[in-house]
Amino acid sequence: MTALGAKPAVIAVSVSGLSVGRRIADELGAALEGRAAPADRLVDATAPRLRQHFGDGTPLIIVGALGIAVRVLGPLAAEKREEPPVVVVAEDGSAVIPVLGGHRGANALAEEIGELLRAAPAITTATDLAFGVALDDPPRGWHLANPEVYGAFAARLLAGETVSVSQSIAWLQDAGLPSSEPGHVAPLRIDATDEAAQSDADRLVYHPETLAVGVGCERDTPPEAVEALVRETLAEAGLSPASVACVVSVDVKADEVALHTVAASLVRPARFFTPERLEEETPRLATPSELVFREVGCHGVSEGAALAAAGADAELIVPKRVKGQATCAIARASAPIDPNLIGQARGHLSLVGIGPGDPSHRLPAADAALAKADAVVGYGLYLDLLGPLIEHAERFDLPLGKEADRARLALDLAAGGRTVALVSSGDIGIYAMATLVFEVLDREPDTHRSRVEVETIPGVSAMQVCAASIGAPLGHDFCAISLSDLLTPWEAIERRLEAAGAADFVISLYNPVSLRRRTQIDRARKILLASRPADTPVVLGRELGRPGETVEVIRLKDLGPDLPPERLDMLTVVVIGASSSRIVQHGGGTRLYTPRGYSVGADSPLRKSGT
């Protein structure tokens, strides 16, 4: 991971760089992008992907020529404190060069890659070379308060001026900075404080993340009111927002929008404690409340949470302030606070559609969610398709028939504060797990599950891939129907087939047959033959996006249970054309499309029919 905390994108510009790219991606737990296997995501053109990642602020590792990075990203480079880290690695692994964002993680990333490949990174930033430390790229939990003076300050250090360093900045104690002789006052100083600091050309100031901001509020308090209270409290106490390590509260507020809004505005995480844990802080509270105890189970929320987060030796520097429906208190720790070691995060569940199988059909949003997840839940076959993309996460695979258990497990893992991805092939909202998750939330009320943040990330569905493989059969109105009567009575399925046939929809059939169900497809054929011609084109798409993919066109009259499993099974999606669907021969192959009636020709089937 980089100093920014974001997972990098590894892009092999050419096939010859895939081997080195694979090693780097596996080491960093990142996805490899390239033109061929073993890339996790196949890309036709690398330049647009480089620009996209750079614009998104994603750290970039480019396996290829330095000139490519310069030509593609050079025009995009702006203010150096805003650019993401960019590292170029030679295709044979012989050179590692941090190109941009050296002090935003590129130098550290280059050193990590260099160690992996046994290649010395070509670090050129002056202070790193002279003193072995990047003063404008402090470690996590520290922030440079006055970057505007850094350039001149560093130049004076490089020219030989001496500096005194605060003893509280442990990470600088062994740095090779020039110091004065005993008894002499150094002209330059490096200090640390959590208080707001005035800019001084002779003084470099760091803000350590030593402050825990405790917040309490009534349900659905306007976020802007809570944020205003927190900002005012910091300002009146003379404290720097940069020194805030986390926003904390009691766990019943884990889904409170206002708390997460405040945390996001400060670019800090939110953490939560049980009432029992906060009650342990009662002896240290400045304003304990019996009313709060009766309502929540602890004598103080904002003060208790701030003290619990800041640790046993914490100082309550701002007792509870009340404004409207919200309270705020601030505690100071003796050292930077690591939010990962305190309280519990609000759990996050991503419902991820991964497409039919081919990495090129998987959306970047799905990759991002999988990269962030520390637990991945799904059917084993689908998880296998993701390969190294989820190697960093704990894997939970449950067999077919355990879909409800999968949904419950994913919710329970997230309710424990984890970042979870629940995976389905295709689009997770189409005959897949997303609906089941929301059904569990609806029908099995649970306090802990209800606090989980849930997002749905779409995927490319099987019917979309099938349609794209053969042309454009979904070009006009269409519907999807599952022939599985496991969860839906067959009588209801028949009514839907009859209605879709009468309405002349293009119909995508999911789950057409299984080992125990071989007759429903024949019944579907007979129902549809009552409303459309026997020679209506039908597309069979099997193993879409996977090595065994087959796509063929047959006629409606030939659709039935006699088709062998290698042509029609549970891995097949069936697209049945409308009466207006047409076959055209193009490029030596068969293409199928369904026109919408645009003015292409007087013989348009829709124009003729008056549709």
Side-chain angles (χ1 to χ4, degrees), residues 556-567:
L556 179 56
K557 63 182 180 181
D558 300 319
L559 180 63
D562 294 335
L563 290 169
E566 62 268 20
R567 297 173 68 190

PDB file of all heavy atoms in Angstrom, residues 556-567:
ATOM      1  N   LEU A 556     -37.103 -20.851 -33.370  1.00  0.00           N
ATOM      2  CA  LEU A 556     -37.962 -21.115 -32.221  1.00  0.00           C
ATOM      3  C   LEU A 556     -38.531 -22.537 -32.255  1.00  0.00           C
ATOM      4  O   LEU A 556     -38.630 -23.200 -31.224  1.00  0.00           O
ATOM      5  CB  LEU A 556     -39.107 -20.096 -32.185  1.00  0.00           C
ATOM      6  CG  LEU A 556     -40.132 -20.235 -31.048  1.00  0.00           C
ATOM      7  CD1 LEU A 556     -39.450 -20.214 -29.684  1.00  0.00           C
ATOM      8  CD2 LEU A 556     -41.187 -19.144 -31.144  1.00  0.00           C
ATOM      9  N   LYS A 557     -38.829 -23.037 -33.447  1.00  0.00           N
ATOM     10  CA  LYS A 557     -39.399 -24.377 -33.556  1.00  0.00           C
ATOM     11  C   LYS A 557     -38.430 -25.461 -33.093  1.00  0.00           C
ATOM     12  O   LYS A 557     -38.852 -26.565 -32.735  1.00  0.00           O
ATOM     13  CB  LYS A 557     -39.820 -24.637 -35.007  1.00  0.00           C
ATOM     14  CG  LYS A 557     -38.660 -24.631 -35.995  1.00  0.00           C
ATOM     15  CD  LYS A 557     -39.126 -24.851 -37.418  1.00  0.00           C
ATOM     16  CE  LYS A 557     -37.930 -24.828 -38.388  1.00  0.00           C
ATOM     17  NZ  LYS A 557     -38.354 -25.015 -39.801  1.00  0.00           N
ATOM     18  N   ASP A 558     -37.125 -25.151 -33.102  1.00  0.00           N
ATOM     19  CA  ASP A 558     -36.109 -26.142 -32.729  1.00  0.00           C
ATOM     20  C   ASP A 558     -35.680 -26.050 -31.269  1.00  0.00           C
ATOM     21  O   ASP A 558     -34.810 -26.810 -30.831  1.00  0.00           O
ATOM     22  CB  ASP A 558     -34.877 -25.984 -33.626  1.00  0.00           C
ATOM     23  CG  ASP A 558     -35.211 -26.185 -35.097  1.00  0.00           C
ATOM     24  OD1 ASP A 558     -36.001 -27.096 -35.393  1.00  0.00           O
ATOM     25  OD2 ASP A 558     -34.678 -25.431 -35.941  1.00  0.00           O
ATOM     26  N   LEU A 559     -36.256 -25.082 -30.530  1.00  0.00           N
ATOM     27  CA  LEU A 559     -35.898 -24.910 -29.120  1.00  0.00           C
ATOM     28  C   LEU A 559     -36.638 -25.939 -28.274  1.00  0.00           C
ATOM     29  O   LEU A 559     -37.864 -25.986 -28.284  1.00  0.00           O
ATOM     30  CB  LEU A 559     -36.270 -23.498 -28.664  1.00  0.00           C
ATOM     31  CG  LEU A 559     -35.961 -23.150 -27.202  1.00  0.00           C
ATOM     32  CD1 LEU A 559     -34.472 -23.212 -26.925  1.00  0.00           C
ATOM     33  CD2 LEU A 559     -36.523 -21.767 -26.873  1.00  0.00           C
ATOM     34  N   GLY A 560     -35.897 -26.789 -27.578  1.00  0.00           N
ATOM     35  CA  GLY A 560     -36.578 -27.790 -26.775  1.00  0.00           C
ATOM     36  C   GLY A 560     -35.632 -28.620 -25.946  1.00  0.00           C
ATOM     37  O   GLY A 560     -34.402 -28.445 -26.001  1.00  0.00           O
ATOM     38  N   PRO A 561     -36.144 -29.557 -25.180  1.00  0.00           N
ATOM     39  CA  PRO A 561     -35.320 -30.358 -24.257  1.00  0.00           C
ATOM     40  C   PRO A 561     -34.397 -31.331 -24.957  1.00  0.00           C
ATOM     41  O   PRO A 561     -33.528 -31.923 -24.305  1.00  0.00           O
ATOM     42  CB  PRO A 561     -36.376 -31.092 -23.418  1.00  0.00           C
ATOM     43  CG  PRO A 561     -37.566 -31.199 -24.314  1.00  0.00           C
ATOM     44  CD  PRO A 561     -37.582 -29.930 -25.111  1.00  0.00           C
ATOM     45  N   ASP A 562     -34.594 -31.543 -26.283  1.00  0.00           N
ATOM     46  CA  ASP A 562     -33.739 -32.494 -26.997  1.00  0.00           C
ATOM     47  C   ASP A 562     -32.353 -31.925 -27.273  1.00  0.00           C
ATOM     48  O   ASP A 562     -31.441 -32.674 -27.661  1.00  0.00           O
ATOM     49  CB  ASP A 562     -34.395 -32.906 -28.319  1.00  0.00           C
ATOM     50  CG  ASP A 562     -35.679 -33.702 -28.094  1.00  0.00           C
ATOM     51  OD1 ASP A 562     -35.786 -34.313 -27.013  1.00  0.00           O
ATOM     52  OD2 ASP A 562     -36.553 -33.686 -28.981  1.00  0.00           O
ATOM     53  N   LEU A 563     -32.189 -30.623 -27.123  1.00  0.00           N
ATOM     54  CA  LEU A 563     -30.865 -30.037 -27.319  1.00  0.00           C
ATOM     55  C   LEU A 563     -29.916 -30.581 -26.252  1.00  0.00           C
ATOM     56  O   LEU A 563     -30.264 -30.626 -25.065  1.00  0.00           O
ATOM     57  CB  LEU A 563     -30.937 -28.513 -27.215  1.00  0.00           C
ATOM     58  CG  LEU A 563     -31.656 -27.796 -28.369  1.00  0.00           C
ATOM     59  CD1 LEU A 563     -31.885 -26.335 -28.017  1.00  0.00           C
ATOM     60  CD2 LEU A 563     -30.837 -27.904 -29.650  1.00  0.00           C
ATOM     61  N   PRO A 564     -28.701 -30.987 -26.619  1.00  0.00           N
ATOM     62  CA  PRO A 564     -27.768 -31.586 -25.642  1.00  0.00           C
ATOM     63  C   PRO A 564     -27.273 -30.559 -24.635  1.00  0.00           C
ATOM     64  O   PRO A 564     -27.294 -29.348 -24.898  1.00  0.00           O
ATOM     65  CB  PRO A 564     -26.626 -32.093 -26.528  1.00  0.00           C
ATOM     66  CG  PRO A 564     -26.682 -31.236 -27.746  1.00  0.00           C
ATOM     67  CD  PRO A 564     -28.127 -30.937 -27.984  1.00  0.00           C
ATOM     68  N   PRO A 565     -26.831 -31.006 -23.453  1.00  0.00           N
ATOM     69  CA  PRO A 565     -26.377 -30.089 -22.401  1.00  0.00           C
ATOM     70  C   PRO A 565     -25.256 -29.158 -22.838  1.00  0.00           C
ATOM     71  O   PRO A 565     -25.141 -28.058 -22.293  1.00  0.00           O
ATOM     72  CB  PRO A 565     -25.911 -31.043 -21.286  1.00  0.00           C
ATOM     73  CG  PRO A 565     -26.669 -32.304 -21.526  1.00  0.00           C
ATOM     74  CD  PRO A 565     -26.819 -32.407 -23.015  1.00  0.00           C
ATOM     75  N   GLU A 566     -24.406 -29.601 -23.796  1.00  0.00           N
ATOM     76  CA  GLU A 566     -23.327 -28.715 -24.228  1.00  0.00           C
ATOM     77  C   GLU A 566     -23.837 -27.535 -25.040  1.00  0.00           C
ATOM     78  O   GLU A 566     -23.077 -26.622 -25.375  1.00  0.00           O
ATOM     79  CB  GLU A 566     -22.271 -29.490 -25.028  1.00  0.00           C
ATOM     80  CG  GLU A 566     -22.773 -30.122 -26.314  1.00  0.00           C
ATOM     81  CD  GLU A 566     -23.242 -31.550 -26.103  1.00  0.00           C
ATOM     82  OE1 GLU A 566     -23.529 -31.920 -24.940  1.00  0.00           O
ATOM     83  OE2 GLU A 566     -23.306 -32.289 -27.100  1.00  0.00           O
ATOM     84  N   ARG A 567     -25.138 -27.535 -25.341  1.00  0.00           N
ATOM     85  CA  ARG A 567     -25.748 -26.400 -26.037  1.00  0.00           C
ATOM     86  C   ARG A 567     -26.779 -25.686 -25.169  1.00  0.00           C
ATOM     87  O   ARG A 567     -26.990 -24.482 -25.319  1.00  0.00           O
ATOM     88  CB  ARG A 567     -26.412 -26.871 -27.344  1.00  0.00           C
ATOM     89  CG  ARG A 567     -25.445 -27.452 -28.348  1.00  0.00           C
ATOM     90  CD  ARG A 567     -26.172 -28.042 -29.544  1.00  0.00           C
ATOM     91  NE  ARG A 567     -26.830 -27.015 -30.358  1.00  0.00           N
ATOM     92  CZ  ARG A 567     -27.675 -27.283 -31.337  1.00  0.00           C
ATOM     93  NH1 ARG A 567     -27.990 -28.546 -31.613  1.00  0.00           N
ATOM     94  NH2 ARG A 567     -28.224 -26.306 -32.040  1.00  0.00           N
TER      95      ARG A 567
END
